[in-house]
Amino acid sequence: MQPIYVGKGWGRRAWQHWEKGCAHNQLFQRKLDKIRAAELMPSVTIINTTSEDVALDVERGLIAMYGRINIRTGTLCNLTAGGDGYAVGSLPDEHKRKIADSIRGRVRSDEHRKNLSVALSGKKHTPETIEKLKVLAAAKAADPEFRQRLSSKLKGRALSDDLAEQRRDFLRQMNSSPERRAQVSAQMKARHAARKAAQLKEISDA
């Protein structure tokens, strides 16, 4: 799932290009045609602002952040830098915060997640992106609140037959490696030693 266009408007403006086409931007139109041919729907995110000036700043900021296809800086089909079409400079911290707040914590629908899965299927990440994803994953794994939410979400969840078989194959391959067997052996020895030490301590205390 990639951001493909950023625009400013009101009412049903956000859906107008999908419903009526975008003749003045063939790059965007071709992207919409591909989505329609794949029998998918674009996901539209609305960012409400307090004024037109702020809306223009948000538009320019998002275009600068995601980059444009026509100048090979990103994924957007926008043909200009937004606003009046001039190059964007540094946005005030307040506007950056509003952009971040509007995106943070957004809950994706089942359809959105399906589209995301299809769009990312087979995508290759750069080594730099992989390292960033590792850092983010490690930070999430270390967050007790995130672990609790994930545990509650997965508790009692039934796996499909295909997914269950894939998981069994993965575990069989992982557990058959010499490194994994040595790791499990070391863990079991450590647990046994800890239990034995605890028992000896109980005997000595008695």
Side-chain angles (χ1 to χ4, degrees), residues 35-162:
I35 295 173
R36 201 182 299 276
E39 298 183 349
L40 298 174
M41 285 284 291
S43 175
V44 178
T45 299
I46 304 295
I47 300 175
N48 294 311
T49 60
T50 55
S51 69
E52 185 174 30
D53 288 339
V54 173
L56 291 172
D57 279 338
V58 171
E59 181 187 45
R60 286 189 289 261
L62 289 172
I63 292 174
M65 181 171 67
Y66 290 120
R68 291 154 45 199
I69 293 175
N70 65 340
I71 56 175
R72 298 183 179 180
T73 59
T75 62
L76 297 180
C77 296
N78 291 74
L79 301 179
T80 73
D84 294 328
Y86 296 107
V88 68
S90 297
L91 290 175
D93 290 340
E94 177 66 15
H95 289 171
K96 291 180 182 178
R97 185 189 62 75
K98 289 180 180 180
I99 293 173
D101 290 344
S102 68
I103 298 173
R104 187 182 298 113
R106 180 159 51 97
V107 178
R108 295 186 176 96
S109 64
D110 291 341
E111 183 180 4
H112 189 165
R113 288 195 292 269
K114 177 184 176 182
N115 292 348
L116 181 64
S117 176
V118 171
L120 294 179
S121 178
K123 181 179 179 180
K124 301 294 183 181
H125 291 300
T126 64
E128 293 79 9
T129 300
I130 291 174
E131 288 303 315
K132 290 180 181 179
L133 291 174
K134 286 182 179 178
V135 171
L136 290 173
K140 280 189 173 182
D143 182 1
E145 185 178 344
F146 172 79
R147 292 162 66 99
Q148 180 61 38
R149 289 200 309 268
L150 183 61
S151 176
S152 300
K153 184 177 180 180
L154 296 178
K155 189 174 296 182
R157 180 179 176 184
L159 298 177
S160 66
D161 292 340
D162 290 342

Side-chain angles (χ1 to χ4, degrees), residues 165-182:
E165 184 60 32
Q166 290 176 13
R167 181 166 294 185
R168 285 193 290 268
D169 288 342
F170 172 77
L171 291 175
R172 280 195 292 266
Q173 293 176 10
M174 182 181 69
N175 292 328
S176 65
S177 68
E179 295 82 2
R180 177 59 179 169
R181 289 200 298 270

Side-chain angles (χ1 to χ4, degrees), residues 4-5 22-34 67-72 74-80:
I4 60 172
Y5 193 79
C22 187
H24 69 280
N25 186 337
Q26 288 302 304
L27 179 64
F28 187 29
Q29 185 61 57
R30 286 194 297 270
K31 183 74 71 172
L32 295 176
D33 291 342
K34 287 182 180 179
R68 291 154 45 199
I69 293 175
N70 65 340
I71 56 175
R72 298 183 179 180
T75 62
L76 297 180
C77 296
N78 291 74
L79 301 179
T80 73

